[in-house]
Amino acid sequence: MAGKSKMWGGRLFCAAAFLALLAVEVLIALFVHDAFVRPYLGDVLVVIVVYCFAQIFLLGRCRHLPLYIFFFAVGVEILQYFHLAERLGLEGNRFLRILLGSVFDWKDIVCYAAGCILLVGWERLRFLGRRKGGNAV
């Protein structure tokens, strides 16, 4: 039974992290209009938000999750290159336009990679904590 409670604790941690980081992302999108936080830090954080969301359901059962999230983010960026929002007629919907993005940029892919590298580091720290008998989430 202890394993189940630990699992739910991990899921709750991931859900809380997801909601907190999603709130930060929304605040950045709505209120920050600078040359660093919104274009760079926001793109680093978005892959971490997706990771936290996926971990609610997977909880460490996907060894290459940061890599898959990177491929997903690059896929979305490629869709921006082909102007998916305009093709779907969403250019008038601010929320969906922000969510999908509208401009392809190689720098975004670099930011996604940086975020995924941070995730790999996080996973290694978690794994080391488990191997040493710690309660790493």
Side-chain angles (χ1 to χ4, degrees):
M1 189 68 170
K4 272 199 186 264
S5 66
K6 192 180 235 185
M7 179 179 72
W8 279 106
R11 290 183 196 280
L12 290 175
F13 174 81
C14 292
F18 165 72
L19 291 172
L21 291 172
L22 181 63
V24 169
E25 280 287 305
V26 169
L27 291 172
I28 288 171
L30 294 176
F31 300 112
V32 179
H33 305 288
D34 68 344
F36 178 75
V37 173
R38 184 172 180 161
Y40 300 110
L41 187 59
D43 286 339
V44 170
L45 283 178
V46 76
V47 293
I48 298 171
V49 171
V50 173
Y51 173 87
C52 290
F53 181 75
Q55 283 291 42
I56 294 168
F57 306 101
L58 300 173
L59 204 58
R61 290 187 289 200
C62 185
R63 184 172 177 216
H64 301 293
L65 184 59
L67 180 64
Y68 300 146
I69 289 172
F70 176 72
F71 288 150
F72 172 76
V74 169
V76 171
E77 195 69 24
I78 289 169
L79 291 174
Q80 291 174 12
Y81 177 80
F82 292 107
H83 308 287
L84 178 66
E86 290 85 12
R87 291 180 189 270
L88 295 175
L90 301 175
E91 62 271 0
N93 186 321
R94 183 173 183 226
F95 174 75
L96 289 176
R97 196 178 71 241
I98 290 172
L99 185 65
L100 288 175
S102 56
V103 178
F104 175 85
D105 191 346
W106 285 105
K107 290 180 275 186
D108 291 349
I109 294 173
V110 172
C111 291
Y112 302 149
C116 289
I117 289 168
L118 289 172
L119 290 172
V120 169
W122 166 254
E123 286 194 338
R124 291 199 176 179
L125 286 174
R126 284 178 50 203
F127 180 73
L128 286 174
R130 285 184 187 157
R131 285 185 60 188
K132 293 180 179 179
N135 288 334
V137 177

